[in-house]
Amino acid sequence: MSFESSCDETSVAIIKNGNKILSNVVATQIKSHQRFGGVVPEVASRHHIEEITFCIRDAMKQANVTYDDLDAVAVTYGPGLVGALLIGVTAAKTVAWAHHLPLIPVNHLAGHIYAARFIKPIVFPALALVVSGGHTELVWMPKEGEFKIMGETRDDAAGEAYDKIGRVLGINYPAGPDVDKMAAKGHDTFHFPRAMDNDDNYDFSFSGLKSAFINTVHHAHQVHKKLNHDDLATSFQDAVIDVLVDKTMRALKKHPVKQLILAGGVAANHGLRSRLEKQVDQLSGTELIKAPLKLCGDNAAMIGAAGYIFYKEGIKADASLNADPGLEFDWLPNEAK
């Protein structure tokens, strides 16, 4: 059994052998947060409290299992919203204690990466591009269960930038899917900045792009000029994708790997998936593995996939496990980059 409650999705899943989904129940909170234009932590926590027991019941029922059939309980303990994380951690500890099951702590980002196991086994060394509402990271994986950050965003994550420019365009939270659809119909006529694209590192920055977009729209409003929203969306998305793909390809050429894993909520973006496919096809010996579209967002199935690996490696927690909202992978040393 696995639990995910790091942000605005309450989810419980039953996973077999780390790669077969017996059930994956997700209670989304999107409609509750849309009126605020983004996730409100207190509202999210209250929804998790309301939904968690129902998710457990439904996951068990759909999988047609009893507690005697379970081998372990895996749970996201960070990073994320502290109040939201605590609900999942408390529920998981309760189930594990009551039924004498080992408790497996899982980093939320490891869960996103291991969603790829539902496509095929991960072959090492591997590189993961994790792109979501709260995270944009390049993660080096030299072996099973080992993660090293090569680069990350220094300000807004890509998903955050999508939501912020979405508000300017009048798009409800989450804005990513609608911006992606609009981008497929427009042209890059605004040529927004590609921040840090040529810097000698693997870090990202999307705050300047977001500001350039918002300033362009506000100035147009002031001078009563009408802008094509599809072209705005294309110009924004092309700038995001250019930097993500350029940095990733540079990392792949310097550190050849057998697989590149694309994961996280923004990994569902069709423009990003298509561009990476074309670029990776030109590399010899590297395979692109994309997390299944239905598992790109937050869900407990991915936590179960990662939890299975950690369980096999003997990684366990005890009743002192607590939420760690600032949890991070270790950094890859500069001399190794």
Side-chain angles (χ1 to χ4, degrees), residues 90-116:
T90 301
K93 288 199 295 185
T94 301
V95 171
W97 176 82
H99 299 281
H100 310 288
L101 296 167
L103 179 66
I104 316 300
V106 177
N107 183 308
H108 177 73
L109 299 186
H112 274 304
I113 294 170
Y114 272 100

Side-chain angles (χ1 to χ4, degrees), residues 6 75-87 89 105-109 135 320-329:
S6 63
V75 61
T76 299
Y77 74 107
L81 304 175
V82 63
L85 288 166
L86 280 170
I87 308 307
V89 169
V106 177
N107 183 308
H108 177 73
L109 299 186
H135 303 273
S320 67
L321 181 68
N322 202 354
D324 187 350
L327 183 66
E328 291 185 344
F329 293 138

Side-chain angles (χ1 to χ4, degrees), residues 152-156 194-196 203-209 243:
E152 66 176 2
T153 184
R154 296 186 180 180
D155 39 60
D156 288 347
R194 273 69 170 159
M196 301 182 69
D203 288 343
F204 307 93
S205 172
F206 299 106
S207 181
L209 167 61
V243 177

Side-chain angles (χ1 to χ4, degrees), residues 8 10 75 90 92 102 115 135 147 160 166-168 171 183 202-203 221 243 245 247 249 252 255 270 289 295 327 334:
D8 60 343
T10 312
V75 61
T90 301
H135 303 273
F147 311 89
E160 287 178 300
R167 293 176 201 162
V168 177
I171 299 173
Y202 302 112
D203 288 343
H221 286 167
V243 177
V245 174
K247 295 269 187 172
M249 296 307 296
L252 287 174
H255 302 277
H270 291 86
I289 308 296
L295 298 180
L327 183 66
N334 287 329

